[in-house]
Amino acid sequence: MILTSPKSSEKATRYLCDRTESIELFEKLLHESLTSLFKELRDSNWYIREREIVNLFTFGHLVPRFLEQGLDLTMIGIEVPTLSAPRTEKAKIGSPKDLVIWAEPRTTLWKGCELFLGMDLKTLRVHGRKPFAIIEWTATNRIRDTAAAQRVQRDHKYDIEGLIRNLDGGMMTIGYAILVEQRVSPIRMISRRIFGNPATESEFLT
């Protein structure tokens, strides 16, 4: 289901929710954006680090498709905090994620919460806003050694595990883990989709 804003005097703004129609729309945009990013990275070897790739993907590939579909750009967040399912009793309530897609414009995890000094932050896991989608990124590159590449590959697995835990904990609707491998020729992009109840991992982009 894709919701639109009720203000008839303005151009309708589309929202995302956890219905099949929203997921299908977003995955279409994501698939197209990852495909065009991959083609660009093959010919642009100066995008080395993860954050450079994330910014290129967001502004060069995802944003234009959001605009085409009438999706508000404030639904996109780079390195913004989101709530996390606790691994232990003393676990932090959340952490920044590489790329976050909110269900509606101008959202943070605090939206709609009563904020006051001394509030119990653990209640945010119940009342705080959860993202529509989280996309975690890792990237190997040509200027780091094999040991560094192996750490990145482990981080990709940790991303998948974290997304599974957070989806099972009700902290998002859908998640993706993207690994860009630039130490091989031609470069490779591995993308994993985390979805379902319970959460399951599957290949997203082939």
Side-chain angles (χ1 to χ4, degrees):
M1 182 177 184
I2 301 167
L3 306 178
T4 58
S5 64
K7 297 180 181 179
S8 58
S9 61
E10 301 177 2
K11 183 178 179 181
T13 299
R14 305 176 82 177
Y15 297 74
L16 298 171
C17 62
D18 59 358
R19 302 295 181 96
T20 301
E21 297 94 327
S22 290
I23 293 172
E24 288 178 350
L25 170 64
F26 177 70
E27 292 208 313
K28 176 180 181 294
L29 303 182
L30 181 60
H31 192 285
E32 291 174 353
S33 300
L34 288 173
T35 300
S36 59
L37 171 72
F38 180 71
K39 292 177 181 178
E40 181 168 1
L41 289 177
R42 287 186 306 186
D43 301 320
S44 307
N45 62 3
W46 53 88
Y47 290 95
I48 297 296
R49 299 187 185 279
E50 173 190 308
R51 292 183 181 179
E52 296 165 350
I53 295 173
V54 171
N55 277 270
L56 173 63
F57 169 78
T58 303
F59 298 110
H61 298 269
L62 187 61
V63 161
R65 290 174 172 86
F66 261 54
L67 292 174
E68 288 173 0
Q69 295 295 327
L71 293 168
D72 195 296
L73 298 186
T74 64
M75 295 162 67
I76 302 174
I78 298 177
E79 287 287 334
V80 297
T82 67
L83 297 166
S84 298
R87 284 182 290 183
T88 65
E89 187 175 339
K90 295 183 179 181
K92 294 181 179 180
I93 63 166
S95 62
K97 302 298 188 296
D98 294 330
L99 189 59
V100 173
I101 309 297
W102 299 102
E104 61 184 53
R106 290 175 166 80
T107 301
T108 72
L109 65 86
W110 311 94
K111 189 175 183 179
C113 296
E114 183 181 356
L115 306 177
F116 55 89
L117 184 65
M119 65 180 293
D120 184 359
L121 295 180
K122 291 182 180 179
T123 63
L124 284 171
R125 289 198 177 98
V126 177
H127 303 294
R129 292 296 178 95
K130 285 83 174 178
F132 174 77
I134 293 175
I135 309 171
E136 293 282 47
W137 292 77
T138 47
T140 64
N141 60 59
R142 303 173 186 87
I143 64 173
R144 300 293 299 275
D145 59 20
T146 301
Q150 291 172 343
R151 287 194 296 271
V152 168
Q153 290 166 347
R154 286 196 298 270
D155 288 343
H156 176 63
K157 293 180 180 178
Y158 295 151
D159 284 344
I160 293 171
E161 293 170 1
L163 290 169
I164 290 173
R165 182 175 63 256
N166 283 315
L167 183 56
D168 282 337
M171 298 297 145
M172 62 184 185
T173 299
I174 194 166
Y176 307 86
I178 313 297
L179 169 61
V180 179
E181 292 194 301
Q182 300 187 92
R183 284 175 57 85
V184 295
S185 182
I187 69 169
R188 294 190 300 173
M189 180 183 290
I190 299 171
S191 58
R192 308 299 293 175
R193 178 183 191 257
I194 313 301
F195 184 64
N197 183 21
T200 57
E201 172 194 352
S202 62
E203 190 172 39
F204 177 65
L205 185 66
T206 57

